[in-house]
Amino acid sequence: MGNAPSAEATSPSSVVVRFAGDSGDGMQLAGIQFTFESALEGYDVATFPDFPAEIRAPRGTLYGVSGFQVRFGQAPILTTGDQIDVLVAMNPAALKRNLHLLKKDGILIVDEDTFNNKRNLQLAGYDQSPLDTLEKQGYRVIRLPITRFVRETLKDSGLPVRTIDRARNIFVLGFLLWLFERNLQEAEKLLQQRFKQSAILQANLQVLRRGYALGETLEKGIPQLRIAVQPGHLPPGKYRTLTGISALALGLLLAQERAQRPLFYASYPITPASDLLHELAQYRRPDVYIIQTEDEISAICACIGAAYGGALAVTATSGPGFSLMAEALGLAVMLELPLVVIDLQRAGPSTGMPTRSEQADLLQALFGRHGEAPLVVLAPATPAENFHIIFQACQIALEHTVPVVVLSDLALAFGAQAWRIPENLNTYPTIRPPLWTNDNDAPYQPYLRTEDGARYLAFPGQPNTIHVLGGLEKKAPEGTVSYDPENHERMIQARRQKVLAVQKRLEPATIETGPEDAPFLLVGWGSTCGVLSSVTRSLNQSGIPVAHVHLRALNPLPPGFSELIQRAQQVIVVEGNTGQLAGWLRMLRLPVHHEIHWTRATVIPERWLHQQIACLLQNPDESPS
Amino acid sequence: MTTSPPTATPTSQPPAKRTLRDYQSDQEPRWCPGCGDYSILKQVQTVLAEENVPPEQVVFISGIGCSSRFPYYMRTYGIHGIHGRAPAIAFGLSVVRPDLSIWIITGDGDGLAIGGNHLFHILRRNPNVQILLFNNEIYGLTKGQYSPTSPLGKVTKSSPWGSPDEPVNPIAFALGSHASFVARTLDRHPTHLKETLRAAMHHRGAAFVEIYQNCNIFNDGAFELYTDKKTQPVHALFLKEGEPMTFGPNNQYVLHWTGTTNQQQEEPFIVFRQDDTPDTLTPFTTRNRHLAWALAWRLHPVSVPVYRRDGTPTEESITLPRPFGIFFQEERPTYQEHLAHQLEKAREHIQPIAQLIQGELTWTVS
């Protein structure tokens, strides 16, 4: 593995702000509000939260620090950034945890009161306040007595001190709005929507204004920050911010409506897939069943039962749960029932690092079953793209009677971006499973196939389609148990061909970034898309003729991909594992010249990747991996 | 609850009365000749015919094992699933299709070893299904290893020195899992089997039926005491709602429950002669969880004295019998009814999909 990430010059057309504090300091809320403010100004945005692994870590500790990073600026914002321009540290622990990410001349905003507290300094591992030293080192330190100001502002509110202190995040928000010359009115409107209880709302509004006003009255004048935004880069339309989790949930609800089938979603709590269960559980509505089961095995088995009954059956999990589902996934392959399994990948093996993102379940998705058990594997590339991909997964599962695995990941689940709301949902087509119709009085046969190789479906309740499915090999087309060797061979081919037939409905592979005729091709999949595109741009700026292709489908591969990759002189596969996609492409006899692996379970640092690729293309014999 | 009980109803005009043949598939059963499964298959088909349930409304779901071949022999819908997971598959189907009559076929290995977890959870959730656990106290399909219900010390291929496992008591397991219907019956008592299945089918909720099933290859005669004409009257107690718990060759004994369940010091049951019983003798009822528990858990096959009505022992002694029939039954909302109730509560909050997709906070780029 190469060197650790080093300093990178952020494009001056965007700014990275990170809010960091105790879990209870409301950093997520402040971050989300600030993001929306930024979007209203016309900036493109991308965000990523950084939750502590512990549920209720003691206050002030290093492991209790919660963060929220937002990057805003000129479109397109492809990543949330390697380095921070503005760090808000609500206590010494938050500073300690995030200082290494702050640029050398970056702005550091601290609650000075927490740095005058010996206990807080000790918890963070500081002997004394580091602020003076940091100032000498070139950081632009802005010391605000946030705790005191907030308490003073609300001293007549009648609220308990505990409640008063919880408004510190809104004070910081107010200050940042001033710093970036934002409009206070929109922030006030947002608070009015969020806080229904008037005493709390009034307190927050007061604190917000106080934070904003402070900027103007500071003794040492601080220059406001302006960043260059060129209008017109985001396509016109109505926008919202969308997390990957919301994108998945909304995509599923839309697929339910378009398929006119009940949505059955069963899941067992696991980080990070639990958040999708929470999101969907809010939507108790006709024909939508959101169920928590006793484990992942029962979640997927319940899905198989529901699919047999005619439902759009979906489950979501993460690495360990995905392993538990392996046997039942094989059953779904055998029964040829529609099924969607979402794997929100996290760092493994085993429990690994449950709150960190990784791309290492690809081979399990492709092959992690006994026997010849092919299925469709799709992978979204951005948080918002989860919406489109999950809809497509439901469509393919139902129309091709095949299990589909959606390989998303933790970064794509919790990340958020500005998303143009589809003007017309009718562009998402009606989903039409191959239902058996008894027009010609032919007897129903469960393994009779459509042109695409899908199985005709019939559901219990109809007198003339009675049939039993099962894990034993079945004679085609009548569906009786069969140990005939030739039949087994035919069935293996039929199940394989059915998956391959999905290729023709996938979007063709295209160049994501870079020149169409570039001799060098970067190939990636999943959540590395933004980083790869961004690095491709910077390589192009350095005169290196490289282009980026990103796979949204891993099995089958999208049409045109093999032509694209065979045309390139040098193919470089970049992924967050030790070469799983590269191995899969080689197995398909596609050219892979170089592999770059990132296995730190963090976002690939752009500068590092830039160097790796530049070095590799200049000295092709010395692969850095 | 606002919904009507989801029971199977004829989809069209009632046709001529159905017969057993209407539920037989064209597949020849491949169980060993003499296997108890044949009897169960026949009685299941008979009950469905007698109750005139449309075959298309019926789904049989099984796991893995000899008994789990069952769906292939039924001319109904069905899934032959994977080992131990039939309850999970059936649960999913029951949620989206409360209109169906769903039957789970499992065994002592499938249901209590690999699938014990799912069996426990489906019982407490109480969806409207029937669960038939074929108990032969042995693994048949894998050719003769000890199962979770094999007695301690059982010598099998995998336990040549005797099984070191304390066996599980399926009835106690079901009661402990908060099952709303718990029964035990036998393959070799067709009438009792049929009537128990009928009661299970009419129960609203998850009905658990343990069926003693003879494996004549690997565990022949395991339940002979309760099926042999000579020993059955002495060793089997057939529970009947509202009637005293009588047994014996001439029904001359009656089991009296003292009301005790858990105190180890006191015996919960006393045996009287039928013609010399106290006035306080309580009839059996399926509605008493404590009695069911005592019958399942505290009625060991040990020899006890027979008492007179005045509480003095006679010189006669008798081995305590094993109960058969419905141990316990209660009415409580099914899983589907809970969901339907939630939907009623949620109805006013339902937003169109387009509105959900748009979300609350939007901005426009022109």
Side-chain angles (χ1 to χ4, degrees), chain A residues 615-616 619-625:
Chain A
C615 162
L616 196 143
N619 312 292
D621 298 332
E622 294 166 34
S623 171
S625 295

Side-chain angles (χ1 to χ4, degrees), chain B residues 25-277:
Chain B
S25 80
D26 55 3
Q27 301 295 300
E28 195 65 35
R30 294 207 189 156
W31 291 313
C32 306
C35 175
D37 289 358
Y38 286 98
S39 162
I40 303 171
L41 178 64
K42 185 175 175 190
Q43 293 314 317
V44 167
Q45 289 166 337
T46 306
V47 166
L48 289 170
E50 288 179 4
E51 297 293 319
N52 206 25
V53 185
E56 68 269 19
Q57 290 295 120
V58 181
V59 185
F60 277 83
I61 297 179
S62 63
I64 295 292
C66 292
S67 57
S68 290
R69 297 295 175 97
F70 204 95
Y72 291 124
Y73 308 138
M74 295 295 299
R75 202 185 76 79
T76 63
Y77 284 88
I79 297 178
H80 178 214
I82 45 178
H83 206 9
R85 319 301 174 200
I89 297 171
F91 170 63
L93 179 62
S94 76
V95 169
V96 295
R97 295 297 302 274
D99 57 314
L100 301 172
S101 173
I102 300 172
W103 299 68
I104 295 163
I105 304 293
T106 185
D108 41 319
D110 189 64
L112 292 167
I114 189 167
N117 184 26
H118 308 303
L119 188 55
F120 161 56
H121 290 286
I122 198 167
L123 290 173
R124 73 183 175 90
R125 287 193 190 117
N126 202 37
N128 196 28
V129 297
Q130 289 73 245
I131 303 161
L132 311 187
L133 187 139
F134 296 20
N135 182 9
N136 55 16
E137 299 188 351
I138 200 80
Y139 280 85
L141 197 63
T142 52
K143 301 189 172 65
Q145 301 82 8
Y146 64 99
S147 90
T149 53
S150 299
L152 197 64
K154 176 82 177 172
V155 173
T156 71
K157 282 180 187 165
S158 60
S159 57
W161 306 99
S163 159
D165 288 14
E166 177 71 21
V168 64
N169 176 331
I171 299 293
F173 176 89
L175 288 168
S177 304
H178 206 175
S180 62
F181 180 103
V182 182
R184 178 194 283 148
T185 181
L186 316 95
D187 57 355
R188 293 193 177 175
H189 195 328
T191 322
H192 190 266
L193 172 56
K194 190 174 78 175
E195 293 315 313
T196 308
L197 293 173
R198 195 193 311 278
M201 200 184 103
H202 286 298
H203 176 70
R204 198 167 50 80
F208 176 82
V209 183
E210 180 194 14
I211 307 174
Y212 280 179
Q213 174 249 321
N214 191 46
C215 173
N216 55 327
I217 305 299
F218 295 110
N219 201 17
D220 196 24
F223 307 112
E224 204 166 5
L225 272 185
Y226 316 111
T227 55
D228 185 89
K229 279 207 165 56
K230 285 199 286 290
T231 53
Q232 187 187 69
V234 184
H235 292 284
L237 163 67
F238 290 96
L239 303 167
K240 295 189 187 84
E241 177 70 31
E243 293 183 21
M245 297 180 278
T246 59
F247 66 106
N250 302 304
N251 252 356
Q252 71 269 48
Y253 305 114
V254 60
L255 195 66
H256 172 65
W257 178 49
T258 62
T260 304
T261 48
N262 288 325
Q263 293 114 345
Q264 294 294 322
Q265 291 78 14
E266 197 184 334
E267 275 305 320
F269 293 104
I270 300 171
V271 176
F272 293 105
R273 284 196 66 90
Q274 172 80 296
D275 53 10
D276 191 14
T277 59

